[in-house]
Amino acid sequence: MSEERQICFTDSAGTALFSIPDNGVLCLFYGNGDTHFSLCRFLDQTHAEIDGVKYAVQEFARRMERNKIIFAPA
């Protein structure tokens, strides 16, 4: 009956990159070779909770770019 909520991840300019479902997993790739998996919860069309921290998805992308962390659906 209700459509599954999707978290739309963007780059820092707001261009859509990919979507994952509510309670989906995001993979973070660090420059030193480490990988981290983060649980993501839908808050609204432009906000998500990632590992318990609330972000505007565009600000999350800005932080990832600044820290040279690549993110992708797991």
Side-chain angles (χ1 to χ4, degrees):
M1 196 174 231
S2 67
E3 195 172 310
E4 185 175 358
R5 297 185 299 181
Q6 294 281 317
I7 303 164
C8 180
F9 284 89
T10 69
D11 63 15
S12 61
T15 303
L17 300 174
F18 58 85
S19 294
I20 64 172
D22 186 21
N23 293 312
V25 177
L26 188 66
C27 188
L28 307 179
F29 302 97
Y30 294 84
N32 65 1
D34 287 351
T35 302
H36 177 78
F37 295 94
S38 299
L39 178 64
C40 301
R41 297 179 55 128
F42 178 92
L43 296 177
D44 64 30
Q45 295 300 320
T46 59
H47 295 84
E49 184 178 299
I50 304 168
D51 275 347
V53 179
K54 295 176 183 177
Y55 290 99
V57 292
Q58 198 169 347
E59 176 58 28
F60 175 77
R62 197 171 292 119
R63 287 175 180 234
M64 295 300 104
E65 289 173 13
R66 184 177 59 233
N67 293 316
K68 299 185 183 345
I69 299 169
I70 297 168
F71 59 97

